[in-house]
Amino acid sequence: MAWRHYEVRQSGDCQVQDEDGISSLRFTMGIVETGKRRVFSGHFVCLIFTDHDPITGEDEHSLRAALWKLARNIEPLSIRLNCVGLSAAFSESGLSMNTGWGYWGQHSKPMHMMDPLPSADGRDDPIDDMIREAVEGMRIGLRIKLELDPPQPVRGVPRKAEQGRATRPSGHRAPSVSRGPAYSAKRAPQTPR
């Protein structure tokens, strides 16, 4: 009696790249169940080859981690997966976690983690390309070149300070206009009469 069961939840074709170029392979993914009562044990992603035994990646917590393990398991065959699930720009939401669905970069539409990577510049839609080319050719806005006035000397700077020979201010307080002359003059202490 087999104690380990693979319950396939999704299957399809994915792109792989080897020394001959890009080709398509069949994949299956789902959950791993163990025991007589088939208790949940983790997630798996499997590549089905025509001339080789299937290769599987498993992880007990995450379907995406199982995909990463599959990618490491096929490295000895000099095969590389070309899918968005291996990209750092791919993210899953709380509701799509472990379903295989998520978002890639700036794309607002959901993508399956086994979908091929969009082109390097992110342009998949020919209409988007046409719009970008039209906008790049437009002159939008005004081009203004501002000329700055040469710096003006600061008025009221003493000549010695301009020449770099200024002396440190003394502790003597200059007469204050608001207080009047009575506060500024030094007087001898007065004795009470």
Side-chain angles (χ1 to χ4, degrees):
M1 174 182 234
W3 291 92
R4 196 165 187 79
H5 306 280
Y6 292 94
E7 184 183 324
V8 176
R9 298 239 170 129
Q10 298 177 47
S11 63
D13 293 326
C14 64
Q15 284 186 358
V16 293
Q17 188 169 4
D18 57 6
E19 59 271 354
D20 297 332
I22 295 177
S23 59
S24 189
L25 281 179
R26 191 90 178 139
F27 76 88
T28 59
M29 60 175 37
I31 61 171
V32 181
E33 298 173 331
T34 59
K36 193 173 184 180
R37 297 186 186 264
R38 294 193 178 200
V39 177
F40 172 81
S41 176
H43 303 274
F44 80 93
V45 181
C46 179
L47 278 182
I48 301 167
F49 295 89
T50 55
D51 57 348
H52 193 277
D53 291 334
I55 297 179
T56 305
E58 292 183 23
D59 187 76
E60 58 187 28
H61 301 293
S62 165
L63 189 59
R64 193 164 177 209
L67 177 64
W68 277 100
K69 289 181 180 176
L70 172 65
R72 280 195 300 270
N73 291 343
I74 63 172
E75 281 178 0
L77 300 175
S78 299
I79 296 175
R80 196 169 53 90
L81 280 167
N82 181 27
C83 61
V84 295
L86 296 175
S87 171
F90 183 75
S91 64
E92 298 171 294
S93 68
L95 294 175
S96 69
M97 185 72 107
N98 293 328
T99 63
W101 291 91
Y103 297 93
W104 184 80
Q106 301 298 322
H107 286 255
S108 59
K109 295 179 182 176
M111 296 182 76
H112 195 272
M113 67 185 215
M114 299 304 282
D115 286 344
L117 278 166
S119 61
D121 58 0
R123 298 179 184 182
D124 291 329
D125 190 2
I127 294 174
D128 285 346
D129 288 341
M130 291 172 28
I131 292 171
R132 280 188 188 91
E133 288 174 15
V135 170
E136 286 172 3
M138 293 179 188
R139 286 188 63 193
I140 300 174
L142 300 173
R143 294 183 185 222
I144 299 174
K145 184 177 179 184
L146 298 175
E147 294 182 15
L148 299 175
D149 293 333
Q152 299 293 325
V154 180
R155 295 180 185 229
V157 176
R159 285 188 174 186
K160 287 183 181 179
E162 287 177 354
Q163 298 170 0
R165 293 183 292 151
T167 58
R168 295 183 76 177
S170 66
H172 176 68
R173 185 172 172 178
S176 173
V177 177
S178 63
R179 291 184 173 178
Y183 287 101
S184 62
K186 288 189 174 182
R187 292 194 264 170
Q190 294 181 353
T191 56
R193 296 186 184 180

